[in-house]
Amino acid sequence: MGMYDDFLSIIKYLKSDEQLLRLLYYPPDNGNDIVDPLDINLPNILDMDIEERSKITNLRIMKSAKVTDLENDSICRLYIYAGRRSPTNYNYLFANQELVIDILCHSNFENGDLRSTRITDRLNELFCQENLVGIGKMNFIGARQINAPYEYTGYQIVFEYSTFKR
């Protein structure tokens, strides 16, 4: 597959992971009426009707940076985009491709249960333990804090995979 197909597969994969969607959508446990986002008593997002599910996933998993709408929302969001592409033997068709994911968590989520770390852990499980795209499993390259809108925590995580296009 090429970059385009790889990234479409990655986004589709993320939008179909119930645990990740719960971490992005449900608020943290407040000890009262709100439970842990992974609690089995909460409705499954993937079981919601298609329109409601699409609203949830399209607002929280994006292909390009959009922060103006975050001023009035308290959510968690992922930006997924291509990072560096390094050819093997100067060949574009056989290359190492970086996958970059920016995680933005409102302070309500971050202060509630360190949500960005929970999302990072889930992404590591999804990408480093499964053969998703390319050749073999993805490698964790690194992570770092990034600038984020007011009242948000920003964290960037980078994975790399080998790809071959026929």
Side-chain angles (χ1 to χ4, degrees), residues 101 103 120 124 140-146 154-159:
I101 302 177
I103 303 165
T120 299
N124 279 316
F140 172 78
I141 299 302
R144 66 185 181 98
Q145 190 173 19
I146 57 172
Y155 201 67
Q156 182 180 81
I157 187 167
V158 181
F159 300 95

Side-chain angles (χ1 to χ4, degrees), residues 150-163:
Y150 179 69
E151 291 196 35
Y152 277 82
T153 295
Y155 201 67
Q156 182 180 81
I157 187 167
V158 181
F159 300 95
E160 184 179 68
Y161 63 95
S162 297
T163 184

Side-chain angles (χ1 to χ4, degrees), residues 77-96:
R77 177 177 284 167
L78 302 180
Y79 297 123
I80 295 106
Y81 54 97
R84 184 176 175 189
R85 185 177 181 90
S86 305
T88 303
N89 297 326
Y90 305 101
N91 183 347
Y92 176 83
L93 299 178
F94 189 64
N96 293 324

Side-chain angles (χ1 to χ4, degrees), residues 65-118:
K66 179 182 176 187
V67 295
T68 54
D69 61 333
L70 294 178
E71 295 171 5
N72 300 319
D73 278 332
S74 299
I75 65 169
C76 294
R77 177 177 284 167
L78 302 180
Y79 297 123
I80 295 106
Y81 54 97
R84 184 176 175 189
R85 185 177 181 90
S86 305
T88 303
N89 297 326
Y90 305 101
N91 183 347
Y92 176 83
L93 299 178
F94 189 64
N96 293 324
Q97 176 66 55
E98 286 184 352
L99 166 69
V100 182
I101 302 177
D102 292 347
I103 303 165
L104 296 178
C105 293
H106 190 273
S107 60
N108 293 340
F109 288 81
E110 195 64 20
N111 291 331
D113 64 6
L114 296 170
R115 189 61 60 93
S116 65
T117 60
R118 295 181 76 181

